[in-house]
Amino acid sequence: MRQPISGKLSVHGHATTNSESNFDSQPQTSDRSGAMSLRQILPNSRFHAGDDVRFHGVCEKPSEVSPGELVVYRIGEVDPARLVADALARGAAGILTEQVLPCPLPQCIVGELDLAMASVFSSLRDRPDQKLLTIGVVGSAGKTTTSLLIANLFRSQKIRTAFQTDLGSSDGVLQSTEDSNLPSARELVDWMSDAVDCESQVAVVELRDDDARHGRYDCVQFDMIIVTGSTLNNDDFGPSSLSCVLDRLTPEGIVVAPVDDTRAMRVIGDAGVRSFTYGVRKSADITAKMIEQADGMSTLLVSHEDESAVMETSLCGGAMAANHAAAIAVGLLVDWPLYEICELLGKLRVVPGRQDRISRYGHASVTIDLAGNSDRCSAAMRTARAMKAGGRLWCITAIDATQDSLSLARLGGLLERFADHAIVTSMPDQKKSFLTASHAVLDGVKECAAMRLVADSTRALQWAMAEAKPADTILVMLNEPSLTAHQARTKIEAIKKMVETAWDEKEASDPRPKLKVFG
């Protein structure tokens, strides 16, 4: 049973039912003796020399297996003949493998061992995802900000909340910036188990598109799925990440989706799941209209049915308004008053690496954004252009040479559209391929002479700061999607330190007279 969270998870949206064929049912996986059934845990796998494997534990080292345990065989890591001999001699219950072995013991054959192991360990840990209100956030842009807004909303209500994002994580007690990518499969199960041990009630998880398409979330189920940005899949083959994640929605679960994303709404409709929509332009279950945006603050008019509330936030721009609308929708689904939700969300002032602005009198302000893809770059440039104080907008963006030429050309078109001065620079380890990648960027530009190419990102920023006037805005987009939370925080702090040092040196070389106050 889940612990209560300020009332029931009510549904204000559409009342369509979720077909049980859209997710793996979870029957009782153990008998009275405590033995686990591998067939019930992995119903889509094949069995050899038996119809099922019942086991009490899992051992990944054949020489240490105990009677009644399941042995794991990884191809190429151990001698299969030795593994079979150890398993038979030590009374193993069966073997989990990717290929059939010449052995009389029952064997379970799976397509990918790591994914199967994640499901097995989830059952061994008594399904930690079922003891939490699990919220998955998927999409091309806005996942991190939306995840942090939702986590902040629950924590403001004194509800212990665990979260996993690109900028950091928490098990409900300790917060950290991990030097690794977002967890999935077995790592995600372990983290959820830790969150349960810390008595967390909610888990907010940022989902990676590639992991979703490769089935690395099949070991858990979600009570809510939040869709942000766009769900457009650049790959021509295979299902979208949204389609894969929808398969992991619980029978009573609900999807919070942007009404402006027609493709996402079509996928959700085809899946037959319950939905709750949000929007900033079209009419939706919850709408967030931008009334005013000035002096680093945005004022939103939030409406739901016959109720409205005004909200002020320092997270500006249309993309941020959509992120707030998604977080507000989550609050409404757990029956919190609209005015209270808006008040609590307005208290989150800064998200590191998302329109992270530093300024000083007499100098051009610098805004740092992690970006990561063309959608995030577009949102960052739109917001920076809307918020600039009458001066020019300088955009410095690093390009990823591994991206396809079409994506790089689109980035070039966006730079030409939004920036008064565009500077294209290289990733730290891709300077040798920078010229080729920069030509692909220029393919999307009409006035190629307006672009400045500087391979060294540090020199690019130094040049922009030297040329920009005090009323200008310099937008720095790191555009490195593979950064870990620790690496992202480190890079942001390094840029801030470099900017502050440059300002100090400029002021020291050209001191200004100070006013002396008498009396």
Side-chain angles (χ1 to χ4, degrees):
M1 289 292 292
R2 280 190 195 91
Q3 299 177 11
I5 304 177
S6 291
K8 285 185 176 181
L9 176 66
S10 59
V11 178
H12 300 284
H14 306 292
T16 53
T17 34
N18 181 13
S19 171
E20 291 188 1
S21 63
N22 290 341
F23 58 92
D24 295 332
S25 59
Q26 298 294 332
Q28 185 68 30
T29 56
S30 61
D31 55 24
R32 292 182 179 180
S33 66
M36 309 289 292
S37 168
L38 201 56
R39 177 170 289 280
Q40 291 180 346
I41 297 173
L42 305 172
N44 296 323
S45 58
R46 294 191 302 111
F47 286 84
H48 177 73
D51 294 331
D52 193 5
V53 178
R54 290 194 171 271
F55 61 99
H56 294 278
V58 177
C59 182
E60 299 189 61
K61 294 183 178 180
S63 60
E64 299 177 3
V65 65
S66 299
E69 286 188 333
L70 178 69
V71 179
V72 179
Y73 171 58
R74 296 184 181 275
I75 299 174
E77 292 189 7
V78 295
D79 180 10
R82 182 65 182 175
L83 178 138
V84 169
D86 286 338
L88 288 171
R90 301 178 72 90
I95 301 174
L96 182 64
T97 175
E98 293 177 356
Q99 68 176 24
V100 178
L101 297 175
C103 173
L105 281 175
Q107 300 173 48
C108 178
I109 297 90
V110 296
E112 188 168 344
L113 195 59
D114 288 337
L115 300 185
M117 288 289 290
S119 296
V120 170
F121 273 96
S122 178
S123 294
L124 286 173
R125 290 178 176 267
D126 198 21
R127 293 302 305 272
D129 56 308
Q130 294 184 349
K131 300 176 182 179
L132 299 161
L133 177 68
T134 51
I135 302 174
V137 185
V138 65
S140 63
K143 296 192 295 290
T144 302
T145 302
T146 303
S147 299
L148 291 175
L149 285 169
I150 294 171
N152 186 66
L153 180 61
F154 280 105
R155 290 157 73 96
S156 299
Q157 292 280 21
K158 308 301 181 183
I159 296 172
R160 185 165 293 181
T161 304
F163 61 85
Q164 277 285 355
T165 71
D166 273 337
L167 292 177
S169 64
S170 172
D171 57 10
V173 176
L174 297 177
Q175 296 188 32
S176 61
T177 52
E178 302 292 341
D179 199 9
S180 58
N181 291 322
L182 289 170
S184 60
R186 182 175 171 180
E187 292 179 351
L188 182 61
V189 172
D190 291 339
W191 172 77
M192 284 190 172
S193 181
D194 291 341
V196 171
D197 291 341
C198 292
E199 298 184 353
S200 295
Q201 296 174 281
V202 182
V204 184
V205 185
E206 181 179 339
L207 307 178
R208 292 168 61 94
D209 289 353
D210 289 342
D211 287 341
R213 283 194 286 268
H214 284 88
R216 297 186 65 82
Y217 300 115
D218 289 353
C219 53
V220 298
Q221 288 186 307
F222 297 98
D223 299 293
M224 281 191 198
I225 293 174
I226 316 300
V227 184
T228 66
S230 169
T231 59
L232 181 63
N233 184 7
N234 292 326
D235 297 332
D236 292 333
F237 302 100
S240 67
S241 57
L242 177 59
S243 299
C244 297
V245 172
L246 288 177
D247 289 340
R248 306 311 308 158
L249 192 66
T250 60
E252 70 277 8
I254 189 168
V255 182
V256 177
V259 72
D260 300 315
D261 189 345
T262 55
R263 186 175 186 273
M265 296 306 300
R266 183 169 62 252
V267 171
I268 293 168
D270 293 341
V273 297
R274 296 183 291 179
S275 64
F276 186 90
T277 60
Y278 68 90
V280 293
R281 291 183 293 272
K282 296 182 180 179
S283 178
D285 293 319
I286 176 75
T287 58
K289 301 288 186 181
M290 190 175 299
I291 302 174
E292 186 180 12
Q293 184 171 256
D295 300 326
M297 296 293 293
S298 288
T299 304
L300 306 177
L301 177 63
V302 183
S303 302
H304 169 61
E305 295 179 347
D306 58 350
E307 187 178 7
S308 297
V310 176
M311 174 182 176
E312 280 193 341
T313 176
S314 59
L315 304 178
C316 302
M320 287 295 184
N323 296 336
H324 278 91
I328 292 169
V330 173
L332 290 173
L333 289 171
V334 290
D335 287 338
W336 292 335
L338 179 61
Y339 75 90
E340 185 177 355
I341 299 170
C342 293
E343 181 181 353
L344 294 174
L345 288 177
K347 294 179 180 179
L348 183 61
R349 293 297 184 182
V350 178
V351 176
R354 299 294 187 270
Q355 294 294 322
D356 201 342
R357 185 172 180 267
I358 52 176
S359 60
R360 185 187 294 185
Y361 177 77
H363 302 275
S365 62
V366 178
T367 301
I368 306 169
D369 200 292
L370 291 175
N373 57 40
S374 55
D375 287 340
R376 295 175 185 172
C377 288
S378 175
M381 287 187 281
R382 286 178 186 273
T383 303
R385 188 158 191 86
M387 296 301 296
K388 66 187 182 72
R392 298 169 297 174
L393 176 61
W394 299 68
C395 290
I396 305 173
T397 181
I399 56 175
D400 186 357
T402 62
Q403 282 190 313
D404 60 273
S405 56
L406 186 62
S407 299
L408 292 174
R410 184 180 177 223
L411 178 59
L414 292 171
L415 287 169
E416 186 177 42
R417 176 182 176 185
F418 292 109
D420 296 305
H421 298 281
I423 306 171
V424 178
T425 186
S426 172
M427 300 284 184
D429 57 343
Q430 296 181 0
K431 292 184 179 180
K432 291 184 178 180
S433 54
F434 173 63
L435 188 60
T436 302
S438 61
H439 284 169
V441 173
L442 295 177
D443 286 340
V445 176
K446 294 181 180 178
E447 299 292 336
C448 295
M451 293 280 178
R452 179 173 288 268
L453 307 180
V454 182
D456 191 296
S457 58
T458 301
R459 292 183 61 186
L461 179 56
Q462 291 172 342
W463 180 81
M465 291 178 64
E467 296 295 323
K469 295 181 179 179
D472 293 350
T473 299
I474 302 173
L475 173 62
V476 181
M477 294 178 286
L478 299 182
N479 222 14
E480 297 183 53
S482 60
L483 288 179
T484 65
H486 180 73
Q487 291 171 338
R489 293 289 186 98
T490 301
K491 285 212 168 192
I492 292 169
E493 292 304 319
I495 293 174
K496 288 183 177 180
K497 185 176 181 180
M498 186 181 73
V499 171
E500 294 283 354
T501 301
W503 286 343
D504 292 339
E505 292 176 351
K506 185 175 181 180
E507 291 174 358
S509 63
D510 185 21
R512 301 191 178 195
K514 297 181 179 179
L515 295 177
K516 188 173 183 180
V517 180
F518 295 90

